[in-house]
Amino acid sequence: MWGMSPFMTYLVIINIAGFLLYLINTILYRFTAEGQIDAVLTIVSLLGGSLGIVLSILIFDRKAEKGNMMSRVFVSCILVIQIVLFLVLRGHYADHLTLAFWTFFDRHKILVAYLVIINFVTFAAFAVDKIAAIERKSRIRIVTLLALSFFGGSVGGLIAMYLLRHKTRKDYFTVGIPLIMIMQVVLLFYAMNAAW
């Protein structure tokens, strides 16, 4: 395909397929009770089409609902992991691999401060939402709690879930937050070993 390597051609094709399949899935959800192709989308995202799916979500289906939350968390995490894998396959990593997390965090104190703050904020948001649920008041949006977890607050979110017994029956939290944590560990490991 226009002088690209077979790998790059594959990525372009699978992401176009992901984009179009998500668009078709969105139309199916709007006009039919059955017939959605969620399983196919999961397979396409795992095969490398997560970028196309995310772009289709951003263009055609930005409204986050409880019914589509787990798939969005899944595809977003898979996208980040696939970007890391793509960078590794393209040779963007250090000559030697390290697991020296403490050395990395010692050199990046701003990152440590950010992680402490975002995890505290995430824990507090879960706590406020738990209190609001008990008092039947206005709640914090699910997408806000998941976004706080996604952008670094997953430990605070997980601790809050089980310490406060909040959101422990929702798969987009019970499965989503551990998946987010796995994605963050992959991202952190890559950041420690990137050739910058």
Side-chain angles (χ1 to χ4, degrees), residues 17-38:
F19 183 89
L20 295 173
L21 285 170
Y22 191 85
L23 176 58
I24 291 166
N25 198 50
T26 302
I27 293 167
L28 289 172
Y29 266 109
R30 287 188 184 144
F31 298 109
T32 65
E34 299 293 325
Q36 290 74 32
I37 52 174
D38 292 332

Side-chain angles (χ1 to χ4, degrees), residues 6-187:
F7 177 67
M8 291 302 289
T9 302
Y10 168 78
L11 284 179
V12 168
I13 291 169
I14 196 74
N15 279 287
I16 290 171
F19 183 89
L20 295 173
L21 285 170
Y22 191 85
L23 176 58
I24 291 166
N25 198 50
T26 302
I27 293 167
L28 289 172
Y29 266 109
R30 287 188 184 144
F31 298 109
T32 65
E34 299 293 325
Q36 290 74 32
I37 52 174
D38 292 332
V40 174
L41 282 168
T42 300
I43 292 167
V44 169
S45 69
L46 288 171
L47 292 175
S50 57
L51 178 60
I53 294 170
V54 168
L55 289 174
S56 193
I57 289 170
L58 292 173
I59 294 170
F60 302 112
D61 191 27
R62 284 180 280 191
K63 187 174 184 199
E65 300 169 350
K66 290 181 181 181
N68 64 17
M69 202 58 65
M70 184 60 220
S71 63
R72 288 171 186 237
V73 170
F74 176 79
V75 170
S76 299
C77 290
I78 295 300
L79 174 61
V80 172
I81 291 169
Q82 287 174 345
I83 289 170
V84 168
L85 289 174
F86 177 77
L87 291 171
V88 168
L89 290 173
R90 302 292 289 173
H92 298 284
Y93 54 88
D95 294 334
H96 63 283
L97 297 179
T98 181
L99 290 173
F101 287 100
W102 299 117
T103 304
F104 177 78
F105 283 128
D106 188 47
R107 286 184 290 157
H108 299 90
K109 290 180 176 58
I110 292 175
L111 176 62
V112 173
Y114 170 78
L115 290 173
V116 168
I117 292 167
I118 192 72
N119 278 284
F120 176 78
V121 168
T122 304
F123 184 92
F126 272 79
V128 167
D129 190 57
K130 172 72 174 189
I131 293 167
I134 292 169
E135 296 177 353
R136 300 192 184 277
K137 291 185 177 178
S138 180
R139 306 277 302 275
I140 295 175
R141 295 179 58 211
I142 294 167
V143 71
T144 302
L145 296 173
L146 287 169
L148 286 168
S149 298
F150 189 85
F151 290 109
S154 60
V155 173
L158 191 68
I159 291 170
M161 277 175 50
Y162 291 104
L163 187 65
L164 305 174
R165 293 189 194 112
H166 188 51
K167 301 290 189 187
T168 56
R169 295 183 185 164
K170 308 295 183 190
D171 64 348
Y172 39 85
F173 285 103
T174 59
V175 175
I177 290 186
L179 182 61
I180 290 169
M181 292 176 88
I182 291 168
M183 176 268 301
Q184 289 169 342
V185 168
V186 168
L187 190 60

